[in-house]
Amino acid sequence: RNIYLSLGVSEPKGRNPRLAAVGENISRQDALLSENPGVNHLLEWNPGNHFTDPPGRMMRGYEWAMKSLI
């Protein structure tokens, strides 16, 4: 019921085509989740790429998930 999606704004701009497709795919997933009223979700775009502040990104996801359970 609660889904937290997180991606760095630089990730879809990478040279690797597989990684570059991730931005389009996560946006598509966000749109699909929006069509389901029973699912609470958040897509958060973060500064940097996959390696920018992983602990902070994980913590924001955990905090969002815990608040969503209340």
Side-chain angles (χ1 to χ4, degrees):
R1 295 176 127 206
N2 298 309
I3 300 172
Y4 177 82
L5 304 169
S6 173
L7 194 66
V9 294
S10 299
E11 290 179 74
K13 299 173 187 171
R15 286 184 239 153
N16 182 319
R18 289 184 185 160
L19 292 178
V22 119
E24 182 180 324
N25 291 333
I26 204 165
S27 293
R28 193 175 313 152
Q29 184 63 49
D30 181 55
L32 288 171
L33 291 169
S34 294
E35 295 173 7
N36 187 337
V39 176
N40 178 31
H41 75 286
L42 173 67
L43 169 55
E44 181 176 68
W45 290 93
N46 298 283
N49 62 20
H50 187 74
F51 300 104
T52 304
D53 191 27
R57 289 170 66 172
M58 291 293 292
M59 186 56 66
R60 286 190 299 278
Y62 290 138
E63 287 173 355
W64 179 86
M66 294 306 290
K67 288 177 185 175
S68 296
L69 293 174
I70 298 173

